[in-house]
Amino acid sequence: MKNYDFVLWDWNGTLLDDLEMNISIMKELLEENGIEKVPSKEFYLEHFGFPIVDFYELIGFDFSKVDYLKLADDYVEKYEKKFPETFLFKNAENVLKILFENGVRQAVISATGHERLVPQVTRFEISKVFDAILGTENDLGKGKTAVAKQWLKESKADPKRVVFVGDTLHDLETADSIGCDCIFIANGHNSKERLLKTGCPVLCDISELSQKVLGC
């Protein structure tokens, strides 16, 4: 018997390898706004989280002087320009296929705005394995718990048979909001050490997930 019937995937940092690109954009935004102290990658991994506005304040943005809406737009513009440089993590497509062929239903839930998320996912020709591609109403980085709750209400899935797979503490917050399990893959936007403190399973590579889900 499968351990889970439904996998909810986070997108950025879980299926999509975009960590280095995000750090590069962060540095550009800081420099363009005259903030000289640029956080290290290690600092990013230890502190990145949602809502994004809180993280931006932590790294030096003063929103009494900087318009957060404009900053969010600048981020989106830079991300869209660089997006063609991104790839799925090695083995991600194979894991999606294995789960699909074994009858596991799957969906992507992201804090990315829905209108941007759909073309990002479809670029990789993996859409057929997903029941749904679910983004947020905008690109302000508030998080995805509301999206997950709405999905659960509409899908009527049994939370005990659902697992959320992600790379940040916010993914655990999202899983907790709908009462499902969470499994981390430590290749994304939070450090492995930070994830281990939650007590949730932490995998070093996405290829390990099939066994966790299928129970074999």
Side-chain angles (χ1 to χ4, degrees), residues 16 50 52-53 74 84 106 109 117 127 152 158:
L16 183 72
F50 292 85
I52 294 293
V53 64
D74 290 344
Q106 303 174 82
I109 296 184
L117 179 64
S127 305
L152 185 67
D158 179 359

Side-chain angles (χ1 to χ4, degrees), residues 21 30 61 93 125 143 145 163 167 174 189 194 198 203:
M21 186 177 76
L30 287 167
F61 287 101
E93 190 169 356
E125 299 183 352
T145 56
V163 63
D167 68 303
T174 305
H189 295 260
R194 193 176 176 193
T198 67
L203 310 181

Side-chain angles (χ1 to χ4, degrees), residues 18 33 58 83 91 105 107 119 135 138 141 157 167 215:
D18 68 348
N33 285 274
L58 180 65
F83 183 75
N91 299 317
R105 299 172 67 186
N138 54 53
D167 68 303

Side-chain angles (χ1 to χ4, degrees), residues 27-115:
K27 291 180 177 179
E28 289 180 19
L29 291 173
L30 287 167
E31 291 170 2
E32 289 171 4
N33 285 274
I35 302 172
E36 296 181 0
K37 188 176 180 180
V38 178
S40 65
K41 178 179 179 179
E42 290 72 24
F43 183 93
Y44 180 96
L45 293 174
E46 287 302 320
H47 295 91
F48 176 79
F50 292 85
I52 294 293
V53 64
D54 292 345
F55 174 68
Y56 278 2
E57 285 184 325
L58 180 65
I59 61 176
F61 287 101
D62 181 350
F63 292 115
S64 68
K65 300 176 181 178
V66 178
D67 183 350
Y68 177 64
L69 295 180
K70 182 181 183 304
L71 190 67
D73 287 343
D74 290 344
Y75 168 84
V76 168
E77 182 178 349
K78 292 178 183 296
Y79 192 97
E80 291 292 283
K81 184 177 181 180
K82 294 176 181 287
F83 183 75
E85 303 171 14
T86 62
F87 297 93
L88 298 179
F89 279 104
K90 182 181 178 181
N91 299 317
E93 190 169 356
N94 188 49
V95 169
L96 292 171
K97 180 181 178 183
I98 290 172
L99 296 180
F100 180 74
E101 291 177 346
N102 280 273
V104 177
R105 299 172 67 186
Q106 303 174 82
V108 175
I109 296 184
S110 175
T112 300
H114 184 75
E115 291 184 359

Side-chain angles (χ1 to χ4, degrees), residues 5-9 99-100 103-107 129 131 155 157:
D5 297 326
F6 214 119
V7 175
L8 297 179
W9 291 96
L99 296 180
F100 180 74
V104 177
R105 299 172 67 186
Q106 303 174 82
V129 308
D131 283 28
S155 70

